[in-house]
Amino acid sequence: MKKHDFKSKIVSNKKIAENFYRMELESKGILFSAGEFFQISVPTHILRRPFAPSYSDSEKFAYTYQIVGEGTEMLSKLAEGTELSVIAPLGNGFTMPEDNSTAILVGGGCGTPSLALLATQLSKKNVIIYSIIGSRSSCTVLEKARLEKYSKKVVVTTDDGSEGLKGNSVNGVESILKEAKCNSSTINIFSCGPAPMLKSLTQLANRENINTELSFEERMACGFGACMGCVIKINSKNTEEGFVYKRVCHDGPVFNSKEIYWQ
Ligand code: FES
């Protein structure tokens, strides 16, 4: 889809969990496919910030952000009606699976909300959805209600065991695979979250021979392929090192797990 550069007013900006906020912005008719992202300008900051939407319709879109520094702290203080500059949609998005297949959505931390948009879009197809929400603790479990609405089952995993299974998202996938008992060729895993989680998920996907797409959350500077600040290593038989670099902002952010050269 053609990208658009437009001004958008904040519709709402609310705290939803410890250190996490959800902002709604006017979409001016721009619709996102799950996995695509956008960039917004943050007042007083030169570089735009990339985020993945968790909700999208022709009037507004929403995203969840975590306060991790000055820029996101500034975002959390912006009032309704403030106008931001947006470039969207960007990136490649997830591949829609075939009808009658099973989709396992695996979210970690701030990666989970973008999977809620994927669940919404998959629910319009004949796909059985299982979701795993990985979180540090019960107070930062994100998008549980929306994922429950669209999923046959939602498994919550927390590092401290304060809700659901004690462990990580990959433990959640193992429990779903035991229960779902379907042929691995009919399953697709879709994931967004921190790199160590994506790496563990790749090992599981290779072991179980499950097609898996990973959305990367690399830090981005330019956001349009010019600075090489967001590169990851991709397997290549054509180089001595065995890998080439690809840009998450330009070539991703979604990659098949088989492409990734993990160290
Ligand atoms: Fe500059 Fe990706 S952020 S190349």
Side-chain angles (χ1 to χ4, degrees):
M1 194 198 220
K2 186 178 174 297
K3 73 178 178 196
H4 300 262
D5 190 341
F6 59 101
K7 299 276 183 218
S8 170
K9 280 192 183 139
I10 296 175
V11 178
S12 70
N13 189 20
K14 293 192 181 103
K15 186 171 182 175
I16 53 165
E18 194 185 322
N19 242 12
F20 287 91
Y21 283 72
R22 182 176 193 267
M23 182 184 285
E24 292 178 317
L25 286 156
E26 294 172 324
S27 58
K28 311 254 173 104
I30 306 296
L31 291 171
F32 289 90
S33 294
E36 291 177 337
F37 68 102
F38 61 94
Q39 298 244 33
I40 50 170
S41 59
V42 179
T44 76
H45 281 63
I46 300 166
L47 297 175
R48 290 169 183 267
R49 300 287 163 121
F51 296 102
S54 58
Y55 177 85
S56 168
D57 70 28
S58 57
E59 286 177 10
K60 64 185 181 185
F61 65 98
Y63 70 102
T64 297
Y65 60 97
Q66 183 176 12
I67 300 196
V68 289
E70 254 179 66
T72 40
E73 176 84 47
M74 165 85 67
L75 275 181
S76 72
K77 297 193 165 53
L78 297 178
E80 279 175 28
T82 306
E83 204 167 60
L84 299 177
S85 162
V86 178
I87 302 179
L90 298 166
N92 55 356
F94 290 107
T95 309
M96 283 293 122
E98 289 180 7
D99 277 353
N100 301 314
S101 61
T102 297
I104 304 179
L105 316 190
V106 188
C110 226
T112 302
S114 65
L115 296 176
L117 176 61
L118 179 61
T120 312
Q121 295 179 349
L122 288 178
S123 71
K124 296 179 182 123
K125 291 175 66 81
N126 192 14
V127 172
I128 299 166
I129 304 169
Y130 291 91
S131 299
I132 291 112
I133 304 173
S135 171
R136 283 212 182 107
S137 74
S138 62
C139 53
T140 50
V141 173
L142 302 173
E143 296 284 6
K144 190 175 170 195
R146 270 178 75 211
L147 285 167
E148 279 177 343
K149 181 172 172 192
Y150 299 116
S151 308
K152 183 169 177 187
K153 181 166 185 178
V154 174
V155 174
V156 174
T157 65
T158 49
D159 296 345
D160 63 4
S162 53
E163 184 170 343
L165 287 178
K166 185 174 190 306
N168 59 40
S169 312
V170 179
N171 303 132
V173 180
E174 286 162 346
S175 83
I176 291 288
L177 288 177
K178 268 188 210 143
E179 186 180 317
K181 288 197 185 102
C182 42
N183 189 320
S184 61
S185 66
T186 64
I187 303 176
N188 292 283
I189 294 176
F190 301 95
S191 183
C192 185
M197 184 194 93
L198 301 183
K199 184 176 180 181
S200 305
L201 199 53
T202 299
Q203 288 160 351
L204 178 145
N206 290 344
R207 206 168 58 234
E208 302 289 337
N209 198 22
I210 299 175
N211 184 56
T212 297
E213 290 195 345
L214 310 172
S215 179
F216 282 77
E217 298 178 311
E218 291 308 298
R219 287 186 77 85
M220 294 181 191
C222 72
F224 52 83
C227 73
M228 300 299 280
C230 63
V231 291
I232 59 169
K233 291 177 180 170
I234 297 292
N235 292 319
S236 170
K237 292 192 178 114
N238 301 327
T239 63
E240 218 171 281
E241 301 87 353
F243 63 82
V244 291
Y245 289 106
K246 283 204 176 176
R247 294 158 292 183
V248 170
C249 70
H250 183 266
D251 305 304
V254 177
F255 294 87
N256 194 286
S257 63
K258 288 198 175 4
E259 291 181 87
I260 311 300
Y261 179 97
W262 294 105
Q263 281 130 323

